[in-house]
Amino acid sequence: MGGVGKTTLAQLVYNDVRVKEHFDLRAWVCVSDDFDVVRVTKTILSFISDVTVEDSDLNLLQVKLKEKLFRKKFLFVLDDVWSENYDNWVVLCRPFEASYPGSRIILTTRNQGVSSMVATLPTYLLKELSNDDCLCVFTQHALGMQDFSKHGNLKKIGEHIVKRCNGLPLVARTLGGLLRGKYDPNDWEDILYSKLWDLPEEGGGILPALRLSYHYLPPHLKLLKGDIMLEMQKGGRILNCNLTPVDLP
């Protein structure tokens, strides 16, 4: 399920001071649905070399990567993996054999088939947040606090909005950010009763929140309006509509 917090949890682990001290090398790759072994290998090599890698010959890239990993303990995060191509996975992992014992790969995916293909340890399945925890995430982003103690007039509306989040922290954060600094109940009711909630959805309720977030953007930020909204209405996944890299640690 999307929006449940897989990438966020991986980021917390990746950026933890103790983790940084434990591993010699770290790299983060947003894989998405295009499991291109050359691209993933280049990204890892760029991370651990601190230089942009221009080569596109997989054999040369893997030789360089193997040299970099020799007797080093690494942590690599492969975020948002969709492909179940086992051959690509085997090829990607070949240089990793040169590393020091104790090296680790964290892989996030919505696809149970992917986790079954690569897992050497039990898969950690994230569940939706409880309503109380989801409410806490929402109010933290909307009001800068963990409850409605200073904004009692917004509590009932906010609780109804949070029920629409279905326990997904990404949705709670998105809607909370959309309402941040807005204390007029009418603004909150506009979100709660928006007709955009009623459009067909996929992905566990994430698309309505993205529609709402886009709908309330200032006009000068509504880039590629036609293409983006068309993809949303077709139920398509938007992989990257930002002007900055996504899912970075």
Side-chain angles (χ1 to χ4, degrees), residues 163-194:
K163 287 181 181 179
R164 288 186 172 270
C165 296
N166 296 321
L168 299 178
L170 176 60
V171 178
R173 185 185 71 184
T174 299
L175 295 181
L178 188 59
L179 290 169
R180 189 170 184 86
K182 298 179 180 180
Y183 307 112
D184 185 339
N186 291 324
D187 291 330
W188 289 50
E189 288 179 346
D190 285 344
I191 297 298
L192 177 61
Y193 298 117
S194 173

Side-chain angles (χ1 to χ4, degrees), residues 136-183:
C136 184
V137 172
F138 173 77
T139 55
Q140 185 65 51
H141 288 278
L143 304 173
M145 55 185 64
Q146 296 184 355
D147 55 37
F148 290 94
S149 57
K150 294 184 179 180
H151 302 277
N153 62 321
L154 300 174
K155 182 177 180 181
K156 188 174 182 179
I157 307 171
E159 289 174 343
H160 284 296
I161 291 175
V162 168
K163 287 181 181 179
R164 288 186 172 270
C165 296
N166 296 321
L168 299 178
L170 176 60
V171 178
R173 185 185 71 184
T174 299
L175 295 181
L178 188 59
L179 290 169
R180 189 170 184 86
K182 298 179 180 180
Y183 307 112

Side-chain angles (χ1 to χ4, degrees), residues 62-226:
Q62 292 200 319
V63 168
K64 291 180 180 179
L65 182 56
K66 187 174 183 178
E67 292 173 351
K68 291 287 185 181
L69 297 181
F70 183 67
R71 298 183 65 83
K72 299 288 186 181
K73 188 183 296 186
F74 70 76
L75 171 66
F76 296 157
V77 176
L78 304 181
D79 186 41
D80 195 26
V81 179
W82 287 83
S83 173
E84 297 182 46
N85 188 316
Y86 182 72
D87 291 337
N88 283 347
W89 176 252
V90 171
V91 172
L92 176 69
C93 291
R94 284 174 183 166
F96 303 164
E97 298 173 359
S99 66
Y100 198 75
S103 295
R104 294 288 184 267
I105 298 174
I106 297 175
L107 184 148
T108 72
T109 183
R110 304 181 203 180
N111 187 341
Q112 186 64 40
V114 173
S115 61
S116 300
M117 177 185 71
V118 305
T120 56
L121 296 172
T123 301
Y124 185 78
L125 297 175
L126 291 183
K127 298 180 179 179
E128 297 89 342
L129 297 179
S130 68
N131 189 72
D132 288 343
D133 287 339
C134 196
L135 186 65
C136 184
V137 172
F138 173 77
T139 55
Q140 185 65 51
H141 288 278
L143 304 173
M145 55 185 64
Q146 296 184 355
D147 55 37
F148 290 94
S149 57
K150 294 184 179 180
H151 302 277
N153 62 321
L154 300 174
K155 182 177 180 181
K156 188 174 182 179
I157 307 171
E159 289 174 343
H160 284 296
I161 291 175
V162 168
K163 287 181 181 179
R164 288 186 172 270
C165 296
N166 296 321
L168 299 178
L170 176 60
V171 178
R173 185 185 71 184
T174 299
L175 295 181
L178 188 59
L179 290 169
R180 189 170 184 86
K182 298 179 180 180
Y183 307 112
D184 185 339
N186 291 324
D187 291 330
W188 289 50
E189 288 179 346
D190 285 344
I191 297 298
L192 177 61
Y193 298 117
S194 173
K195 292 182 179 179
L196 292 176
W197 288 106
D198 299 326
L199 292 176
E201 65 181 70
E202 290 185 1
I206 295 177
L207 282 180
L210 293 180
R211 292 189 191 105
L212 285 164
S213 181
Y214 176 80
H215 180 74
Y216 287 98
L217 280 175
H220 67 283
L221 293 180
K222 289 187 175 180
L223 305 175
L224 303 176
K225 176 179 178 181

